[in-house]
């Protein structure tokens, strides 16, 4: 696997951990999200992707309350950690138009996410014998749609639209790292 150290600032992530006050404000204004967090907290194991996708597909969070508690990075996309324990990490990720992740996987963590607002483009990659990544397909998802990716999946999530993109991500177990790939 060839690691890519040459991606632009628009591909870089800024991470913010929500303060207890901001998390409380968000959850108090978003009862469905509170129920989702309570469900996650009640599980003493790593939730499966099918479970997460089902729960997320039925989740209708208060997008205005969510948007009020998160923001966009000046350069690159912004990742807001809402809550984390040994079994999961819940994060809201925001992209301005034109922003994207680098080509990456989720070493050791599965990920499911719900598009809160905007249009998300997920480009799926495979690697050749030299470890260089090449795209195999792209999937466009709109508000309310869910994606579930296994830890070995290689992809790019991007905002090719004209407005902001906000997604609610659940990593199980919490994201501890990822590999970044160079493209052909």
């Amino acid at each position: 696997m060839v690691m890519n150290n040459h991606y632009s600032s628009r591909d870089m992530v800024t991470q913010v951990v929500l303060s207890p006050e901001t998390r409380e404000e968000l959850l108090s204004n978003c009862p469905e999200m509170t129920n989702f967090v309570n469900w996650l907290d009640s599980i003493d194991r790593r939730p499966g992707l099918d479970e997460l996708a089902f729960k997320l597909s039925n989740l209708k969070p208060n997008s205005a309350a969510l948007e009020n508690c998160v923001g966009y990075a000046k350069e690159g996309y912004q990742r807001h950690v809402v809550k984390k324990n040994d079994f999961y990490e819940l994060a809201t990720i925001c992209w301005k138009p034109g922003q994207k992740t680098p080509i990456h996987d989720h070493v050791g963590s599965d990920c499911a996410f719900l598009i809160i607002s905007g249009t998300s483009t997920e480009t799926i990659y495979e690697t050749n014998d030299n470890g260089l990544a090449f795209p195999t397909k792209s999937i466009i998802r709109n508000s309310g749609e869910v994606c579930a990716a296994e830890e070995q999946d290689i992809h790019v999530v991007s905002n090719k639209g004209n407005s902001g993109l906000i997604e609610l991500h659940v990593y199980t177990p919490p994201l501890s790292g990822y590999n970044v790939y160079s493209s052909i």
Side-chain angles (χ1 to χ4, degrees), residues 87-147:
F87 301 109
Y88 78 90
E89 178 179 6
L90 181 63
T92 302
I93 304 179
C94 304
W95 290 265
K96 290 180 184 178
Q99 293 178 334
K100 63 180 181 173
T101 67
I103 304 168
H104 70 283
D105 61 19
H106 300 132
V107 177
S109 297
D110 292 334
C111 176
F113 61 89
L114 169 67
I115 290 79
I116 302 295
S117 62
T119 301
S120 177
T121 301
E122 180 190 27
T123 305
I124 310 295
Y125 287 79
E126 291 184 13
T127 56
N128 66 14
D129 292 340
N130 296 323
L132 296 174
F134 59 93
T136 59
K137 69 178 176 178
S138 286
I139 304 165
I140 297 172
R141 293 185 179 87
N142 296 303
S143 294
E145 292 186 67
V146 172
C147 172

Side-chain angles (χ1 to χ4, degrees), residues 7-13 74-77 99-100:
Y7 40 93
S8 73
S9 62
R10 70 180 189 162
D11 301 339
M12 298 300 294
V13 63
K74 187 173 183 179
E75 293 290 326
Y77 61 103
Q99 293 178 334
K100 63 180 181 173

